[in-house]
Amino acid sequence: MNEEEREEGSPVGRRVVLGMLGLGVAGVAVGASVQDRVSRALAPVGPVGDVLPAAGGFRYYSVTGSVKRRDAATHRVTVGGLVDKPQAFAMADLARLPQTRLERDFQCVTGWRVPDVEWVGVALPDLLDAVGVSPKARAVTFTSFDEVYTESLTLEQARRRDVLVATQMEGRPVTHDHGGPTRLYVAPMYGYKSLKWLGGINLTEELVPGYWENRGYDVHAWVGRSNGRDDAPT
Ligand SMILES: Nc1nc2c(c(=O)[nH]1)N[C@H]1C(S)=C(S)[C@@H](COP(=O)(O)O)O[C@H]1N2
Ligand SMILES: [Mo]
């Protein structure tokens, strides 16, 4: 895991979730060690825009205990729903589409941030053009092969060129821990939109809120302008 810190089951920070539920920490059966780790992880959080001083880097997040690895050779991303030509994209198919490179900060809603992360992949609008979006479609749902996590975007958001089906991170294939072989990367939004272990993309009429959105987080997760952070000091 190297510099990464495992925080299984604490995807956006337990304290934030507890706060939202109005529960005290004592009211939840959480092992002391887990609690300590989370507190430490959250301790350096400053106003939005601060860079974490800690050895930093990504924290590993998964709402499920362990996720079955997918071999890049057999992995497919299926695109279906309200499209003209549903298709299961192999890595080689994705590689044949135009490649987009982005270098952006990665920011979790709890406050940790990794500056200047390089991503390469297929911009979602290019993938959508490849299958042809039906005029009825208004939103996009993303499913993870962890079989639990989901995310969604409006069609307008999904057509942004800074939203990727990422296949590379920091110059290498996206690792399993970071959601490889394919992960969603939504540059302008908080990390929870960037669904890991992307297996399915579905065009829908209505927007279906994702995993954390069903637990109180904003569907439109613009960095600095959502989740009660609109008035955050700069
Ligand atoms: N499938 C899945 N995707 C996920 C999550 C998750 O728990 N499961 N956590 C999200 C959150 S809250 C963040 S901040 C980032 C963390 O990415 P990392 O684990 O690569 O650091 O992944 C996002 N995507
Ligand atoms: Mo997060």
Side-chain angles (χ1 to χ4, degrees), residues 11-12 58-59 61-63 146 149 178 183 191 194 196-197:
V12 293
F58 283 83
R59 286 152 174 80
Y61 280 161
S62 175
V63 296
D146 70 9
Y149 206 85
H178 283 300
R183 152 184 212 157
S194 292
K196 307 204 293 183
W197 306 296

Side-chain angles (χ1 to χ4, degrees), residues 10-13 61 106-112 149 190-193 212:
S10 306
V12 293
Y61 280 161
F106 189 94
Q107 174 142 355
C108 174
V109 70
T110 56
W112 60 269
Y149 206 85
Y190 286 112
Y192 64 88
K193 300 300 289 193
W212 284 111

Side-chain angles (χ1 to χ4, degrees), residues 71-90:
D71 187 345
T74 51
H75 173 60
R76 300 283 184 279
V77 179
T78 59
V79 186
L82 299 171
V83 299
D84 302 332
K85 297 165 281 173
Q87 195 181 328
F89 290 86

Side-chain angles (χ1 to χ4, degrees), residues 128 133-134 137-140 153-160 203:
L128 295 179
V133 174
S134 146
R138 289 281 171 275
V140 188
L153 293 170
T154 66
L155 186 57
E156 191 187 6
Q157 292 163 358
R159 290 212 187 272
R160 292 178 60 110
L203 279 286

